[in-house]
Amino acid sequence: MAVASGILALRLSIFRPVPVPVTVFRVDIGRVEDTVVNSRAGTVQSRRRAGMSPGIPGLVIEIAAQKGTRVKQGNTLLRLDDTEHQAQVQLTSRSLEAARAVAEQARLEAELAQMVLKRTQNLARNEVISETALDHDRTRALTAEAAVLAAQARIREAEAALEAARATLAKTVMTAPFDGVVLDITTEVGEWISPSPPGVFIPPVVDLIDPETLYLSALLMKPDVARIRVNLPVRITLDAFRGQSFPGTLTYVSSFVETRQEQNRTLRVEAVFQKAQLPDNLLAGLSSDLEVILEARDQVLRIPTYALLEGSRVLVVRNERLEERKVTTGLHNWSFTEITSGLTTGEWIVVSLDRPEVKAGAWVVISGEVEK
């Protein structure tokens, strides 16, 4: 009996295997979400963005806004030299004045021709003058009336020309069509700029966006179409703001699944940010990732998803040895998996599974604990 006890003591001391250091997670209670993530980086965009160029060619004489400037609707962004266009407005204005003067002259002549015609008609009834004279005065009256109509048409023509000249003059000033931020200006004072000819792309002179209308466009991988719908909550992360996430809402779901090979069956969606959460330097064009939260449960038993072995198994540290245990899972995502049976709160499970000696029955020593 003493010999057996001695052998057992030797096995548990001198001949005991060197314990394998492992990192563990203490099973706890928390939130687990069922999510769908984007297949590749999405892009922050703005629903209101304007790439603007002047409607006429001209010489830049003033740039009233710079890159990054916040502007209000109607604020001046850029001015072109308007000397020639101001002169054209003056010229057409004088032409309108002349047309009105001619029209007044034609009206007076028409009134005179009508008076003469009436006298001639009275004389003709008394057979004082011939029918030929009457025809002559009647023709003069009709001609005068036609001259009045022609003069009125020239007034309308001059008014239209003046409006056109004023419209052209207005194009020498570029103003902000909405409140926003100037992203870029591609010209300098003293440069001659022109609008793009048909069929030829020229970069806009001023690029303006509305930062209050930012949204995210992304492609979801392996979409569960039946469960993805508008108004689902989302979580947005941005490369420019590492360690932060921004809540939002799904606002658009494409009506078809894209099946192009390089996209491997994806679904395009759009989401908006909760405005109260946005930092001031969040800009359109930033790379971002999107998680659509399909379902969430609070106060459930959970473990890190990467702690699960094939077949829904985990390794539990029990009496300094590893015990393999079968578990039943519920909701899961990349971070956590819900455990509905097989574990209890406070048990240690191994998460460092990348070493072959980490297996059921192995002696272990806890070298670290992952944060919850």
Side-chain angles (χ1 to χ4, degrees):
M1 189 68 178
V3 174
S5 298
I7 293 174
L8 179 61
L10 287 173
R11 287 182 178 178
L12 295 177
S13 56
I14 298 176
F15 298 110
R16 177 179 174 176
V18 177
V20 179
V22 292
T23 304
V24 297
F25 175 86
R26 186 186 293 272
V27 179
D28 74 338
I29 299 294
R31 178 182 174 89
V32 178
E33 300 169 339
D34 184 8
T35 62
V36 175
V37 300
N38 54 287
S39 60
R40 58 184 179 183
T43 304
V44 176
Q45 301 180 19
S46 175
R47 297 196 186 281
R48 300 181 71 185
R49 182 171 184 171
M52 299 176 292
S53 293
I56 57 173
L59 183 70
V60 179
I61 61 171
E62 179 187 358
I63 298 176
Q66 302 299 324
K67 294 180 183 179
T69 303
R70 286 187 173 269
V71 295
K72 294 290 186 180
Q73 182 178 4
N75 285 170
T76 298
L77 303 176
L78 179 145
R79 290 182 184 274
L80 301 180
D81 181 15
D82 63 358
T83 304
E84 180 180 347
H85 303 294
Q86 289 279 11
Q88 187 63 30
V89 169
Q90 290 294 323
L91 177 61
T92 53
S93 179
R94 298 294 178 267
S95 296
L96 177 58
E97 292 175 2
R100 287 170 175 167
V102 171
E104 179 64 16
Q105 179 182 358
R107 184 186 67 80
L108 295 175
E109 291 178 352
E111 289 178 354
L112 178 61
Q114 285 294 330
M115 294 172 59
V116 172
L117 176 60
K118 289 179 180 179
R119 285 196 296 267
T120 303
Q121 288 173 335
N122 291 332
L123 293 173
R125 280 194 293 271
N126 296 325
E127 299 182 351
V128 175
I129 61 174
S130 65
E131 287 294 327
T132 301
L134 178 60
D135 291 341
H136 181 268
D137 287 346
R138 184 181 292 114
T139 301
R140 285 184 58 190
L142 292 174
T143 301
E145 290 179 1
V148 171
L149 296 176
Q152 292 174 343
R154 283 192 289 272
I155 288 176
R156 292 192 292 272
E157 180 182 17
E159 288 174 341
L162 179 58
E163 288 300 316
R166 286 172 175 168
T168 302
L169 176 62
K171 291 180 180 179
T172 62
V173 180
M174 286 181 57
T175 60
F178 50 80
D179 295 355
V181 176
V182 178
L183 285 186
D184 196 15
I185 295 180
T186 61
T187 189
E188 299 290 344
V189 173
E191 288 186 346
W192 182 270
I193 56 177
S194 301
S196 300
V200 178
F201 173 75
I202 297 178
V205 173
V206 178
D207 194 1
L208 180 71
I209 69 160
D210 181 358
E212 300 301 320
T213 61
L214 295 178
Y215 71 99
L216 171 65
S217 176
L219 294 171
L220 298 184
M221 65 179 184
K222 299 179 181 178
D224 187 347
V225 178
R227 303 178 65 193
I228 295 175
R229 62 185 185 279
V230 171
N231 293 327
L232 282 175
V234 301
R235 183 182 301 107
I236 301 169
T237 56
L238 304 165
D239 291 345
F241 301 92
R242 296 188 181 278
Q244 299 184 55
S245 64
F246 304 93
T249 304
L250 204 64
T251 56
Y252 167 78
V253 178
S254 177
S255 58
F256 64 95
V257 174
E258 299 184 16
T259 57
R260 285 178 287 182
Q261 183 177 359
E262 66 272 16
Q263 294 180 346
N264 192 26
R265 297 190 183 276
T266 54
L267 186 70
R268 182 168 296 279
V269 297
E270 294 177 1
V272 296
F273 296 84
Q274 290 184 7
K275 296 183 182 299
Q277 304 292 330
L278 294 183
D280 293 336
N281 53 346
L282 176 59
L283 301 175
L286 290 177
S287 175
S288 57
D289 289 311
L290 175 73
E291 280 186 281
V292 180
I293 303 172
L294 301 175
E295 186 178 353
R297 294 175 188 164
D298 292 306
Q299 299 301 307
V300 297
L301 206 65
R302 65 177 187 174
I303 65 171
T305 299
Y306 58 86
L308 276 173
L309 297 169
E310 186 178 354
S312 297
R313 296 172 296 114
V314 296
L315 293 177
V316 181
V317 178
R318 185 178 178 86
N319 298 325
E320 299 183 358
R321 300 189 73 177
L322 294 184
E323 173 186 302
E324 184 177 279
R325 194 175 303 174
K326 179 77 172 179
V327 297
T328 304
T329 62
L331 294 184
H332 64 88
N333 56 36
W334 294 106
S335 300
F336 288 100
T337 294
E338 177 189 8
I339 302 299
T340 58
S341 66
L343 292 173
T344 59
T345 305
E347 288 190 293
W348 298 102
I349 63 167
V350 176
V351 295
S352 54
L353 303 171
D354 54 343
R355 299 172 62 182
E357 57 268 28
V358 178
K359 57 186 178 180
W363 292 89
V364 295
V365 59
I366 296 175
S367 61
E369 180 182 353
V370 297
E371 296 180 359
K372 295 180 175 58

